[in-house]
Amino acid sequence: MNDSRDPILVQLVSKGIDVGQLQSFIADPDVGAHGWFHGVTRRRTGDKITQILSYEAHESMAISELNRLAREATERFELTRLVIVHRLGIVPVGEASVVIGCSSPHRKQVFAALPWLMDHLKQDVPIWKQETFVDGSSEWVHR
Amino acid sequence: MQVNVLLFAALREAADCDTITIEVAPTATAGDVLRSVAEAIPTVAGLIPSCRVALDSRYVTSTEPIQNANEIAIIPPVSGG
């Protein structure tokens, strides 16, 4: 259970995301719903096969933007706890690059918060992915 | 005056460095920084119109003066998640 006063946890990590630890962060006796989103590296995009994704960030700004989004989401969706972790560096196929977990007294809030957070993360948080394909070519994704 | 500008992702790779020093007027705005960087790195000039500028880790509009900023960063379209 999380007894800390700050209901928000935001992290950038360089290794696999430890979801077990995050589960205890969003636990609270007064919530009735935990909601999770795991964004993972997909192997196939159209006819291209991805070998790895690699992420870089403007780290201090990414932390500050993630905190801003987290505070807005907590207020907007009446979340009890919220954790957002983004991985940087190489993320192999099938592993998570981003994990968002949130808890709230009722399910509707967590169902609504997750897409809102991911949409805004993809729009404003200064993190970039570079795709490397099995044919050896690579490209930065800027869209 | 000379200012350092942080570069990321495709911009960083094209410039082959993570910081570029450019010469701008003391009254320069965020938009002036974008124009100067497009001239300095012509290989990515096409990407510049879709970039944003952040002063001290905060997005600003193109008319914002840069004079009092401690850190200037060019933020290409992001692709986290």
Side-chain angles (χ1 to χ4, degrees):
Chain A
M1 294 282 175
N2 173 25
D3 294 324
S4 67
R5 290 179 61 191
D6 192 344
I8 289 167
L9 175 65
V10 161
Q11 289 179 333
L12 299 175
V13 298
S14 54
K15 292 182 179 168
I17 299 172
D18 182 353
V19 176
Q21 227 175 24
L22 305 181
Q23 277 171 337
S24 60
F25 181 83
I26 68 165
D28 184 285
D30 293 324
V31 303
H34 289 195
W36 290 94
F37 174 77
H38 295 211
V40 300
T41 298
R42 182 181 56 239
R43 187 169 66 99
R44 185 184 297 272
T45 300
D47 58 356
K48 287 190 156 181
I49 306 292
T50 297
Q51 187 167 41
I52 50 171
L53 292 183
S54 181
Y55 290 85
E56 77 170 48
H58 179 327
E59 294 193 26
S60 58
M61 184 175 172
I63 290 284
S64 114
E65 282 292 304
L66 285 171
N67 269 306
R68 183 181 63 76
L69 286 182
R71 289 189 199 290
E72 190 176 336
T74 303
E75 193 171 325
R76 179 184 285 250
F77 300 103
E78 299 174 350
L79 302 176
T80 305
R81 308 276 182 210
L82 170 61
V83 58
I84 309 175
V85 182
H86 204 297
R87 185 171 170 181
L88 301 178
I90 290 172
V91 182
V93 168
E95 295 191 18
S97 53
V98 62
V99 172
I100 299 180
C102 57
S103 59
S104 180
H106 304 288
R107 69 183 185 282
K108 279 188 181 171
Q109 284 86 349
V110 302
F111 285 156
L114 291 169
W116 186 93
L117 279 160
M118 278 308 298
D119 288 349
H120 285 79
L121 182 152
K122 284 177 167 285
Q123 188 177 303
D124 287 328
V125 179
I127 297 175
W128 299 272
K129 79 178 79 162
Q130 186 180 39
E131 291 204 66
T132 299
F133 302 101
V134 290
D135 65 6
S137 64
S138 68
E139 66 184 28
W140 286 101
V141 180
H142 285 307
R143 56 177 180 260
Chain B
M1 63 179 186
Q2 283 198 329
V3 294
N4 294 323
V5 180
L6 303 184
L7 304 174
F8 297 92
L11 292 180
R12 176 182 55 71
E13 220 166 68
D16 201 24
C17 59
D18 56 16
T19 307
I20 187 171
T21 304
I22 55 169
E23 181 76 33
V24 291
T27 55
T29 62
D32 295 329
V33 170
L34 288 176
R35 280 185 284 278
S36 297
V37 171
E39 285 166 18
I41 323 171
T43 49
V44 285
L47 186 58
I48 294 289
S50 56
C51 291
R52 288 181 276 182
V53 173
L55 302 180
D56 298 327
S57 292
R58 191 176 54 86
Y59 287 114
V60 296
T61 62
S62 62
T63 56
E64 183 88 5
I66 61 162
Q67 198 167 20
N68 296 322
N70 293 312
E71 182 197 273
I72 304 169
I74 296 193
I75 309 295
V78 302
S79 50

